[in-house]
Amino acid sequence: MSAPLPTQLADKLDAISEWTGRLIAWLTLTMVLVTFLIVVLRYAFDLGWIALQESVTYQHALVFLLGAAYTFKQQGHVRVDIFYQSFSPKTRALVDLFGGLLLLLPVAGFIFWISWEYVAVSWELKEGSPEAGGIPAVYLLKASMLVMAGLLIIQGIADMLRQLGILFSRDTH
Amino acid sequence: MEFLETWMPLIMFAAVCLVLLLGYPVAFTLAGTALGFALLGYELGIFDPAFLEALPNRLYGIMTNTTLIAVPLFVFMGVMLERSKVAESLLDTMASLFGSLRGGLGISVTIVGMLLAASTGIVGATVVTMGLLSLPTMLKRGYLPSIATGTICASGTLGQIIPPSIILVLLGDVLSSAYQQAQLDMGIFAPETVSVGDLFSGALIPGLVLVGLYILYIVLLAWLRPETMPAMSSNDVDKTTLIPRVIKVLLPPLLLIFAVLGSIMGGLATPTEAAAVGAVGAMLLAISHGQLNLPILKDVVRSTTQVTSMVFMILIGASIFSLVFRGFGGDELVEELLTDLPGGKVGAMLAVMLLMFLLGFVLDFIEITFVVVPIVGPVLLAMGLDPVWLGIMIALNLQTSFLTPPFGFALFYLRGVAPPQVTTGHIYRGVIPFILIQLLLLGLLAWWPGMATWLPSIIYP
């Protein structure tokens, strides 16, 4: 027998966060290597490019913005778990369900809504770097705020579906 | 209504703390509760939603903050050292080096705790690592459970105050904007700055003194009550292979950490650059231990992403919180409350330290840095306190808080990984001497701020 529909949906939504996270994670390695390269070029050859410098900022921002939903899925966002850890699984599911509904979704929704205009203006101008020789893609960087909010909403829905599954499951552990 | 208008910021703060205790992830609790209050305040006509329009700009500021780029790089370095078992073999080698001395294992744990400082800087992570690595060994060697757990808890929290901890990077960034704001408020338009490097060098002497005091305590105890921490029997240690092992295992990580710290303090490199060099060094160390392969690399990049995202989501949550807090007039309220306290800056400092100590029972270092320091920092600094000294006092204070029963974070985390024969009572009893040491050092530093401010003043005149 296949899993119930909400679980299937949750699996599909989870997969989005999981795969963006796994992909984006490699940027931490490239950040290390590019920054190292910048240091070597500067100290050994007295060379430097603004675009290279800026690329580290881009990678850094993408890691924590696009990794947020993945981190949520992996339970990587810290909780104050003094009481939470001693709750029963159903109580935890209740906390997570209402947390998702009243905290995560409104926050992600709000960030999406309030950033829309800000990103749209930048997008219209095809806003580039304020520095000469910088990466001409500030509008794309800014748009990643919206992507973060979107991924968090998707992950939030997936998580709430799972909590509902726990709450309505018959077995009592 | 007037009551609400005045006290709303503090009501909101209390409400956030209560909601946090339910256990939903901190970042979204901070932001979500604050947004709820903003909506309530808007309905009541005491909150101007225009305050929230600054959010996208704040977000973009966080994304492009160059100081904070050091965070993922330091985390990468720390996780790499941990996953590639460099830390583990460090402890092993230290233990065989000092193991034949009474209390030698305890000393090794303290020193490794200090060296792991570069690791994640999250209380839980270091205490758990140290607990898993060393508690079973210490118990097996006949250490009293209370002494073993006390040493591990205290050493696990050392990572916050010893540079290059990411906590100091975060604190440095927050204090630098607080310092600018304080000076602008005082009408100084060419403000002095405080940098992450200042904080690193300021933390060095107090941090080393702290480690020294820990070791002194262990040595004294080993001398007075040898039965509590027996020496390893000497046939556990093979002397002939020891020297090469020390050179191979101990020296490289030490050199790495000295190189990273030295280049920052010597002004050769920014913390970000030094962190990248440190991360590459950590990879080379992992290679030399034959521990760098695809699965480990995957594990390292994924853990780094999670820790980084966790830290920055809290920063974003805290920004939303502080915009709403400011919108309710919270900044003025806190300033009034602090300046009205008896005792001037001493009274204000004491009150803030006490508040942070209590908050440390509920919140981790990162949350307090992002939520509380931006609110109280400018007020304290405007009273004429030194930013580096303030930063180190905060770090020491919170570290003490994390060790204090019954709520200290470190105790919880160690409890979670300790074998069943170790009771909570053992852990509580074991940390008390270390708490006293912390208080002693806090007192010393309060009495003699030069301990923190002297080194930065000669390095960055």
Side-chain angles (χ1 to χ4, degrees):
Chain A
M1 200 177 92
S2 65
L5 208 60
T7 316
Q8 283 184 27
L9 182 59
D11 286 343
K12 293 221 166 68
L13 296 177
D14 266 351
I16 300 177
S17 317
E18 184 68 30
W19 287 102
T20 30
R22 288 188 186 183
L23 199 66
I24 219 79
W26 289 105
L27 288 181
T28 59
L29 177 65
T30 53
M31 261 180 92
V32 166
L33 297 175
V34 172
T35 311
F36 184 72
L37 181 70
I38 290 172
V39 174
V40 171
L41 285 177
R42 175 137 111 252
Y43 290 93
F45 304 101
D46 208 18
L47 282 173
W49 289 277
I50 291 192
L52 204 58
Q53 195 77 256
E54 283 187 357
S55 83
V56 178
T57 306
Y58 276 59
Q59 295 174 60
H60 167 62
L62 288 178
V63 164
F64 71 80
L65 290 175
L66 306 192
Y70 166 73
T71 306
F72 191 95
K73 177 173 178 289
Q74 297 289 336
Q75 296 288 331
H77 291 295
V78 279
R79 303 166 182 268
V80 174
D81 53 6
I82 305 177
F83 300 116
Y84 185 85
Q85 62 174 355
S86 53
F87 287 163
S88 71
K90 292 222 170 176
T91 313
R92 286 189 197 181
L94 217 54
V95 168
D96 285 339
L97 178 66
F98 281 98
L101 195 64
L102 300 173
L103 300 169
L104 177 64
L105 289 188
V107 169
F110 180 76
I111 292 177
F112 194 91
W113 176 71
I114 198 120
S115 310
W116 181 265
E117 186 66 29
Y118 182 82
V119 175
V121 170
S122 166
W123 195 273
E124 214 143 276
L125 295 169
K126 288 276 178 287
E127 185 182 3
S129 171
E131 312 235 14
I135 300 174
V138 167
Y139 67 104
L140 286 177
L141 184 62
K142 285 187 175 171
S144 59
M145 293 178 193
L146 298 177
V147 181
M148 167 197 77
L151 284 171
L152 276 175
I153 290 172
I154 292 172
Q155 182 55 42
I157 292 171
D159 189 64
M160 285 164 59
L161 286 173
R162 287 208 192 285
Q163 308 307 340
L164 280 173
I166 296 174
L167 284 171
F168 290 106
S169 68
R170 271 158 205 257
D171 99 270
T172 41
H173 329 269
Chain B
M1 190 54 106
E2 205 170 311
F3 173 82
L4 271 187
E5 221 176 326
T6 315
W7 295 103
M8 201 56 141
L10 295 192
I11 297 173
M12 177 170 94
F13 189 82
V16 165
C17 290
L18 283 178
V19 180
L20 279 172
L21 289 176
L22 290 175
Y24 199 68
V26 172
F28 308 110
T29 307
L30 275 173
T33 314
L35 285 180
F37 268 80
L39 188 65
L40 179 69
Y42 176 63
E43 294 293 333
L44 293 173
I46 55 174
F47 181 81
D48 178 1
F51 275 95
L52 283 169
E53 279 162 24
L55 185 63
N57 222 340
R58 282 276 189 109
L59 266 178
Y60 187 64
I62 295 171
M63 289 159 66
T64 50
N65 179 324
T66 45
T67 311
L68 295 180
I69 294 179
V71 172
L73 302 177
F74 275 130
V75 173
F76 189 100
M77 167 176 154
V79 177
M80 180 59 86
L81 286 178
E82 188 205 313
R83 296 294 146 87
S84 61
K85 305 214 166 59
V86 172
E88 207 176 314
S89 47
L90 199 62
L91 187 68
D92 271 357
T93 314
M94 287 282 232
S96 20
L97 191 62
F98 293 124
S100 50
L101 303 171
R102 267 186 258 148
L105 198 53
I107 297 174
S108 313
V109 168
T110 310
I111 295 179
V112 172
M114 174 180 87
L115 293 178
L116 274 184
S119 192
T120 62
I122 290 127
V123 196
T126 338
V127 173
V128 166
T129 313
M130 298 287 293
L132 289 173
L133 283 182
S134 45
L135 188 55
T137 324
M138 290 175 98
L139 294 175
K140 204 169 66 198
R141 296 274 152 75
Y143 272 59
L144 222 58
S146 62
I147 292 181
T149 50
T151 312
I152 292 170
C153 282
S155 312
T157 58
L158 272 178
Q160 325 225 319
I161 173 126
I162 308 276
S165 87
I166 65 156
I167 291 303
L168 293 175
V169 178
L170 304 176
L171 203 53
D173 188 61
V174 171
L175 278 173
S176 104
S177 32
Y179 195 39
Q180 301 252 343
Q181 200 192 322
Q183 293 179 92
L184 284 177
D185 291 348
M186 290 188 289
I188 301 170
F189 291 101
E192 287 178 38
T193 56
V194 52
S195 69
V196 173
D198 287 326
L199 222 57
F200 275 7
S201 50
L204 195 63
I205 294 178
L208 290 178
V209 170
L210 190 62
V211 174
L213 289 173
Y214 281 6
I215 292 178
L216 190 68
Y217 163 71
I218 295 170
V219 170
L220 273 179
L221 199 65
W223 181 52
L224 294 173
R225 294 175 56 202
E227 74 284 359
T228 59
M229 41 175 89
M232 264 191 254
S233 55
S234 48
N235 56 7
D236 280 356
V237 188
D238 183 356
K239 288 267 192 301
T240 50
T241 62
L242 189 57
I243 304 290
R245 245 176 80 200
V246 168
I247 293 173
K248 185 168 175 283
V249 177
L250 204 54
L251 220 51
L254 274 178
L255 282 177
L256 180 67
I257 289 178
F258 281 124
V260 168
L261 276 186
S263 58
I264 298 172
M265 291 184 193
L268 284 174
T270 63
T272 305
E273 293 169 342
V277 176
V280 170
M283 280 196 274
L284 294 178
L285 277 183
I287 291 171
S288 77
H289 282 243
Q291 292 283 353
L292 192 65
N293 48 37
L294 195 60
I296 286 187
L297 199 56
K298 269 187 189 164
D299 193 19
V300 171
V301 296
R302 287 175 194 174
S303 300
T304 307
T305 304
Q306 288 179 31
V307 174
T308 308
S309 199
M310 182 274 284
V311 171
F312 283 85
M313 283 302 128
I314 293 176
L315 180 51
I316 291 172
S319 306
I320 295 179
F321 174 87
S322 70
L323 284 176
V324 179
F325 190 82
R326 193 155 294 166
F328 278 121
D331 287 10
E332 291 92 11
L333 179 66
V334 168
E335 185 178 350
E336 245 172 73
L337 290 175
L338 283 179
T339 44
D340 283 356
L341 282 174
K345 59 182 175 185
V346 179
M349 181 71 187
L350 269 176
V352 168
M353 293 301 268
L354 192 66
L355 174 75
M356 285 190 176
F357 186 82
L358 295 176
L359 284 175
F361 289 159
V362 184
L363 297 178
D364 207 334
F365 211 134
I366 307 167
E367 290 98 289
I368 294 178
T369 305
F370 290 150
V371 177
V372 185
V373 179
I375 297 172
V376 297
V379 186
L380 289 179
L381 294 172
M383 290 174 158
L385 296 177
D386 182 274
V388 172
W389 177 77
L390 178 63
I392 311 303
M393 286 293 281
I394 291 174
L396 260 178
N397 183 24
L398 285 178
Q399 197 206 338
T400 315
S401 169
F402 296 146
L403 283 176
T404 304
F407 293 116
F409 266 108
L411 314 173
F412 271 100
Y413 285 113
L414 187 63
R415 173 71 275 177
V417 294
Q421 78 260 32
V422 176
T423 66
T424 308
H426 285 140
I427 303 183
Y428 287 0
R429 248 174 293 139
V431 290
I432 289 170
F434 291 97
I435 296 172
L436 294 177
I437 294 176
Q438 296 284 132
L439 293 176
L440 174 72
L441 188 66
L442 266 172
L444 271 178
L445 189 60
W447 186 254
W448 188 44
M451 208 196 296
T453 54
W454 174 74
L455 196 58
S457 74
I458 58 159
I459 296 182
Y460 309 97

